[in-house]
Amino acid sequence: GAKCGALKGGLGSASIVLDDGTTVGALVVVNAFGSAVIPGTDTFWAWALEQDGEAGGQAPPVRALGPGDLDYSFDLSVGGNTTIAVVATDATLSKAQARRVALMAHDGLGRALRPVHTTVDGDSVFALSTGRRPLADPVGGLSRIGMAAADCLSRAIMRGVFEAEALGPWPAYRDLHRIELGEERS
């Protein structure tokens, strides 16, 4: 029953291995009031973060967005919207460092959804660590992990909407935009 704006939402994941070998990943249930798709296009807000055609081969919008595309009036009477995510790394993190990664990962919601954090959303991001790799640089390394967590969360949201199948009144992204799973757009 998860939705994302006017589309079916769902479960999405994404990960990356950083140059130093640290793994960062995100898992999200996308049930957002906002939309993951730029109005009037078939392009996800997070299009620039796509890797290896994971969302059908996203491309920039073919036209500039105008004021009408960025509608600031919407019905907020709808309830029950909560996007819940977990970001994880194999780097050893203290409780405070994990909190910082979760805080940074919240930016991934803002890159992938519009609007985000409305009064009818209950968005939450949790961070965890397996502790298998030492964090050699507690400032720069932690910042890179947080940045990667935000990017992975944006990609996971995009993938969750891209992979979703229609349910009841909520159409699937791929059905509306005639994209087959695994087929990149030309």
Side-chain angles (χ1 to χ4, degrees), residues 50-111:
E50 181 185 28
Q51 294 185 14
D52 301 321
E54 66 192 354
Q58 291 291 304
V62 295
R63 62 178 177 78
L65 298 178
D69 294 318
L70 304 175
D71 182 13
Y72 292 100
S73 62
F74 22 78
D75 178 12
L76 289 175
S77 63
V78 180
N81 300 297
T82 298
T83 296
I84 299 177
V86 62
V87 293
T89 182
D90 56 359
T92 302
L93 300 178
S94 69
K95 185 176 180 179
Q97 290 169 326
R99 186 177 313 130
R100 175 57 55 185
V101 169
L103 178 70
M104 291 179 74
H106 258 275
D107 290 346
L109 292 168
R111 293 179 194 148

Side-chain angles (χ1 to χ4, degrees), residues 1-4 6-12 30 158-176 179-181:
K3 66 176 192 68
C4 183
L7 297 175
K8 178 71 176 73
L11 185 66
V30 185
M158 182 171 51
R159 286 178 47 82
V161 175
F162 180 78
E163 300 286 347
E165 295 180 9
L167 178 65
W170 308 114
Y173 171 87
R174 287 181 289 146
D175 292 341
L176 291 179
I179 295 173
E180 295 297 322
L181 185 60

Side-chain angles (χ1 to χ4, degrees), residues 4 8 20 29 33 37 43 48-49 54 63 65 70 79 82 88 105 112-113 119 128 132 140-141 150 164 170 172 183:
C4 183
K8 178 71 176 73
D20 67 358
V29 176
F33 173 80
V37 179
T43 303
L49 299 171
E54 66 192 354
R63 62 178 177 78
L65 298 178
L70 304 175
T82 298
L113 299 168
T119 56
L128 62 92
R132 293 190 176 165
W170 308 114
E183 176 186 307

Side-chain angles (χ1 to χ4, degrees), residues 25-42:
L27 178 68
V28 63
V29 176
V30 185
N31 186 29
F33 173 80
S35 177
V37 179
I38 298 171
T41 75
D42 63 351

